[in-house]
Amino acid sequence: MTEYKIALVGFGGVNRGLAQLIVERNAAWQTELGFSLKIVGVSDLFLGSICDPTGLDAAHLVALPPVKGAFAQLAGGSAEAFNETVIKHSRADIIAEATFTNPVDGEPAATFCRWALEAGKHVVTTNKGPIALHGPELSQLAKANGVSFEYEGAVMSGTPVLRLARQSLSGAGVRGFEGILNGTSNYVLTRMEEGLSFAEAVAKAQELGYAEADPTADVEGHDVRLKVVILANELLNARLQVGDVTCSGISSISTADIGQVRASGARWKLIGSAHREGDGSVRASVEACLLPSSHPLVGISGATNAVSFNTELLGAVTVSGPGAGRIETAFALLSDIIAIHAANH
Amino acid sequence: MTEYKIALVGFGGVNRGLAQLIVERNAAWQTELGFSLKIVGVSDLFLGSICDPTGLDAAHLVALPPVKGAFAQLAGGSAEAFNETVIKHSRADIIAEATFTNPVDGEPAATFCRWALEAGKHVVTTNKGPIALHGPELSQLAKANGVSFEYEGAVMSGTPVLRLARQSLSGAGVRGFEGILNGTSNYVLTRMEEGLSFAEAVAKAQELGYAEADPTADVEGHDVRLKVVILANELLNARLQVGDVTCSGISSISTADIGQVRASGARWKLIGSAHREGDGSVRASVEACLLPSSHPLVGISGATNAVSFNTELLGAVTVSGPGAGRIETAFALLSDIIAIHAANH
């Protein structure tokens, strides 16, 4: 029986979700997946940090109140986040990085990933920042250190879009993709189809917790742009940087624009896409598109996300599922660990 | 560089498609996939058979006219189908079985698979019959002989539905699925939404080559039933037999039934489904269902197929793509060979 020692960096919704799954399912995983997990360290800028190479009680961690310095309440814990100690010296085999996304330079998450990989530890992350901004460098670093760097959750939460394309569509000739990659903006468009104005629909999304107080990153396409960079670099070997992707959002679309086309079955959607051109270059964009009623993404409503791959041998293959959610995103980390386990057995 | 010797059993559209892919892509596969394929034998009840352990010219095979006994035109070929010789003595590492589907007893395909597995050869097949009727036995036989038995193409042609669920949704807790698994009946329903009668829509499907002269297996759900058995046994460990799946089709649905609901966005679809019940048993059915406008399968039109998995951790994850086609189904065989290569490297 394999037991992986894991350290959690960032203890917000996602890694707390992973700890909860460990509480509920660790015993079942031994039979079902062939391994179990033991948490040996946690750090979080707000909560502090704690290490124990013999294993922390996941149930205690999950029950900890989300108050500043809370880890100091546990024996051996500290109100200070000793990230470097947890990453380098907790004896973890795997670092689960789930801190906040910094879209400017990917820090401090990128540094956390570097520390872990240089120390010969596998990294699993759901963080778009380090992948979109430093993905090729970090993958190279992982290779040089003989460890895995996995980030299924960085694009569509637990919906296995990277793994589907990499494993199951291998050989089918992926030429490009189109995706609905932001649940907030898709929810806003869906509500506008029911007659709400843009401002009213954004307010609804904020009420439900889908949208941040400042909805710019969601509705102007900045969040989708990071995901397009990740998908294009991964699936089309594109070496794109964020600035290479033209980007516009949905704020210029009016309820009238949407109403005008609704009867025909066509729908406005915020589409992130990339395609290989005839000369081998890759062209990528984020923009509101009017999809005809026959388009594979036209039926994707509300907070659901989807990617449609354009392949040489199969035509369009489309996968849809959740694009957010605490447990859904925690599952992405688990699926990355399953992949690491498969690669080493 | 790995080179797999492959023998093709059945040389209709699918294996002819695989031979065509070999002509066009074998050199690229060496770089892209890490292996190439050499055809060392072919047999077909109608065309005859031919073996050559040093390799047959795939381009010659593809160019052969589809006339009775055509293999006799090639040096060393015969108008007779020496299936057993090709399967057991052609020196193939992998047998690609793509003969016709026999929904009653799965023969002669099941026997072809047994011969190959007992001779220690991997088997890849797109044939529903042997899997739905003898799947567990054949998988057991493969295991006992230390070889692989792969059949991605038996459910949704090249759309990677089995591999998605098995690999990428591992750990997500698949509780059941609903699928649109027959392109012909879905095409008929889509045309009926445009006002055609059932008989007119079937005639259209026949004109386009989607439906057979006798459309019963497609429109009465018999084809879907075999696919439900395969998916349920594979993903829910169900051990279902064909008779365990209640089955009705779309012939009792009228254009009026369809028109009545169309304005609400609801749509009639032929759904094959299976779910694990509270007591651990699996319940499976094929029947026409009225899907609400919010259902993940409601937008699947025409000849496209789709499966929506109901998972514990992610909710609904849906994959859609082609469910038929010569090259699309040949890709399924390639994807099975890619899986065999991965398992052995």
Side-chain angles (χ1 to χ4, degrees), chain A:
Chain A
M1 182 50 50
T2 307
E3 182 183 65
Y4 293 109
K5 293 197 274 295
I6 182 168
L8 312 178
V9 180
F11 199 63
V14 174
N15 266 338
R16 210 178 262 258
L18 183 60
Q20 187 185 326
L21 290 177
I22 290 171
V23 172
E24 295 167 1
R25 291 162 189 258
N26 219 11
W29 289 342
Q30 294 197 2
T31 318
E32 195 193 334
L33 305 176
F35 64 81
S36 60
L37 300 178
K38 181 156 82 179
I39 302 174
V40 295
V42 191
S43 73
D44 182 277
L45 286 176
F46 181 70
L47 301 169
S49 57
I50 185 166
C51 279
D52 185 343
T54 68
L56 294 157
D57 186 324
H60 285 175
L61 295 172
V62 171
L64 217 62
V67 298
K68 188 150 180 63
F71 283 133
Q73 298 175 18
L74 299 175
S78 160
E80 203 176 327
F82 296 113
N83 294 302
E84 194 163 359
T85 305
V86 168
I87 292 169
K88 293 185 178 171
H89 306 299
S90 64
R91 309 238 183 135
D93 309 303
I94 301 171
I95 305 297
E97 198 289 321
T99 64
F100 65 97
T101 291
N102 175 338
V104 177
D105 63 7
E107 294 297 351
T111 295
F112 295 161
C113 293
R114 274 186 210 105
W115 284 343
L117 297 170
E118 284 166 355
K121 293 163 192 306
H122 304 294
V123 172
V124 299
T125 181
T126 57
N127 196 325
K128 292 180 289 291
I131 319 298
L133 296 158
H134 308 284
E137 174 218 325
L138 293 169
S139 292
Q140 190 49 48
L141 191 59
K143 210 173 160 185
N145 286 280
V147 290
S148 295
F149 180 54
E150 300 284 337
Y151 40 87
E152 180 63 70
V155 177
M156 240 167 87
S157 167
T159 306
V161 64
L162 290 175
R163 215 152 268 135
L164 172 76
R166 227 188 303 177
Q167 295 179 345
S168 309
L169 295 180
S170 168
V174 175
R175 290 187 290 211
F177 63 85
E178 297 172 288
I180 292 178
L181 293 165
N182 181 273
T184 306
S185 55
N186 203 45
Y187 175 83
V188 166
L189 288 172
T190 303
R191 296 308 301 258
M192 288 174 75
E193 287 173 346
E194 295 161 10
L196 296 194
S197 72
F198 176 74
E200 288 166 341
V202 168
K204 273 280 171 211
Q206 285 166 330
E207 251 175 69
L208 289 165
Y210 291 165
E212 312 277 330
D214 177 359
T216 311
D218 288 326
V219 300
E220 296 302 346
H222 306 156
D223 170 70
V224 175
R225 183 164 52 173
L226 295 177
K227 294 169 177 171
V228 166
V229 169
I230 296 171
L231 280 170
N233 287 351
E234 177 86 18
L235 307 181
L236 302 172
N237 212 3
R239 309 196 75 85
L240 289 186
Q241 298 194 315
V242 174
D244 299 330
V245 182
T246 61
C247 183
S248 59
I250 60 167
S251 59
S252 59
I253 298 180
S254 71
T255 309
D257 291 335
I258 287 174
Q260 227 160 32
V261 299
R262 196 73 187 96
S264 72
R267 298 174 85 180
W268 283 97
K269 294 289 180 190
L270 182 62
I271 298 294
S273 68
H275 293 277
R276 191 177 298 290
E277 303 281 323
D279 65 1
S281 68
V282 171
R283 200 165 156 178
S285 66
V286 180
E287 58 184 330
C289 298
L290 183 60
L291 304 186
S293 64
S294 59
H295 193 283
L297 298 179
V298 78
I300 305 299
S301 291
T304 303
N305 283 12
V307 172
S308 188
F309 298 101
N310 169 7
T311 73
E312 241 174 296
L313 298 185
L314 298 174
V317 173
T318 306
V319 62
S320 66
R326 226 167 61 80
I327 291 293
E328 291 84 344
T329 311
F331 169 73
L333 294 174
L334 175 67
S335 79
D336 286 342
I337 297 170
I338 293 171
I340 289 170
H341 182 68
N344 291 284
H345 280 82

Side-chain angles (χ1 to χ4, degrees), chain B residues 185-206:
Chain B
S185 55
N186 203 45
Y187 175 83
V188 166
L189 288 172
T190 303
R191 295 308 300 257
M192 288 173 74
E193 287 173 347
E194 295 161 11
L196 296 193
S197 72
F198 176 74
E200 288 165 342
V202 168
K204 272 282 171 210
Q206 286 166 327

Side-chain angles (χ1 to χ4, degrees), chain B:
Chain B
M1 183 49 50
T2 308
E3 181 183 67
Y4 293 109
K5 292 196 274 298
I6 183 169
L8 312 178
V9 181
F11 199 63
V14 174
N15 266 338
R16 210 178 261 257
L18 183 59
Q20 187 186 325
L21 290 177
I22 290 171
V23 172
E24 295 167 1
R25 292 163 188 257
N26 219 13
W29 288 343
Q30 294 197 2
T31 318
E32 193 193 335
L33 305 176
F35 64 80
S36 60
L37 300 178
K38 181 156 83 179
I39 302 174
V40 295
V42 191
S43 73
D44 183 277
L45 286 174
F46 180 71
L47 300 169
S49 56
I50 185 165
C51 279
D52 185 344
T54 67
L56 293 157
D57 185 325
H60 285 175
L61 295 171
V62 171
L64 218 62
V67 298
K68 188 153 180 60
F71 282 133
Q73 297 174 20
L74 299 174
S78 159
E80 204 178 325
F82 295 115
N83 294 302
E84 195 164 357
T85 305
V86 167
I87 291 170
K88 294 186 180 172
H89 306 300
S90 64
R91 309 238 183 133
D93 309 303
I94 301 170
I95 304 297
E97 198 288 323
T99 63
F100 65 97
T101 292
N102 175 339
V104 177
D105 62 7
E107 295 297 351
T111 295
F112 295 161
C113 292
R114 274 186 210 104
W115 283 344
L117 297 170
E118 284 166 355
K121 293 162 192 308
H122 304 293
V123 172
V124 298
T125 181
T126 57
N127 196 325
K128 293 180 289 291
I131 319 299
L133 296 157
H134 308 283
E137 174 218 324
L138 293 169
S139 292
Q140 189 49 49
L141 191 59
K143 209 173 162 186
N145 285 279
V147 290
S148 295
F149 179 54
E150 300 284 339
Y151 41 86
E152 180 64 71
V155 177
M156 239 167 87
S157 168
T159 306
V161 64
L162 290 175
R163 214 152 270 135
L164 171 75
R166 227 189 304 176
Q167 295 179 346
S168 309
L169 295 180
S170 169
V174 175
R175 290 188 290 212
F177 63 85
E178 297 173 288
I180 292 177
L181 294 164
N182 182 272
T184 307
S185 55
N186 203 45
Y187 175 83
V188 166
L189 288 172
T190 303
R191 295 308 300 257
M192 288 173 74
E193 287 173 347
E194 295 161 11
L196 296 193
S197 72
F198 176 74
E200 288 165 342
V202 168
K204 272 282 171 210
Q206 286 166 327
E207 253 176 69
L208 288 166
Y210 292 165
E212 312 276 328
D214 177 0
T216 311
D218 288 326
V219 300
E220 295 302 346
H222 306 156
D223 170 68
V224 175
R225 183 163 54 173
L226 295 177
K227 294 169 177 172
V228 166
V229 170
I230 296 171
L231 279 170
N233 287 350
E234 177 85 18
L235 307 181
L236 303 172
N237 211 4
R239 308 195 76 84
L240 289 186
Q241 299 196 311
V242 175
D244 298 329
V245 182
T246 62
C247 183
S248 59
I250 59 168
S251 60
S252 59
I253 298 179
S254 71
T255 308
D257 292 334
I258 286 174
Q260 228 160 34
V261 299
R262 196 72 188 95
S264 72
R267 298 174 84 180
W268 283 97
K269 294 289 180 190
L270 182 62
I271 298 293
S273 68
H275 294 277
R276 192 176 298 289
E277 304 281 324
D279 65 1
S281 68
V282 172
R283 200 164 155 178
S285 66
V286 180
E287 58 185 331
C289 296
L290 184 59
L291 304 186
S293 64
S294 60
H295 193 284
L297 299 178
V298 77
I300 305 300
S301 291
T304 303
N305 283 12
V307 172
S308 188
F309 298 101
N310 169 8
T311 73
E312 241 174 296
L313 299 186
L314 299 175
V317 173
T318 306
V319 61
S320 66
R326 226 167 61 82
I327 291 294
E328 290 85 345
T329 311
F331 169 73
L333 294 174
L334 175 66
S335 78
D336 286 342
I337 297 169
I338 292 170
I340 290 170
H341 182 68
N344 290 283
H345 280 81

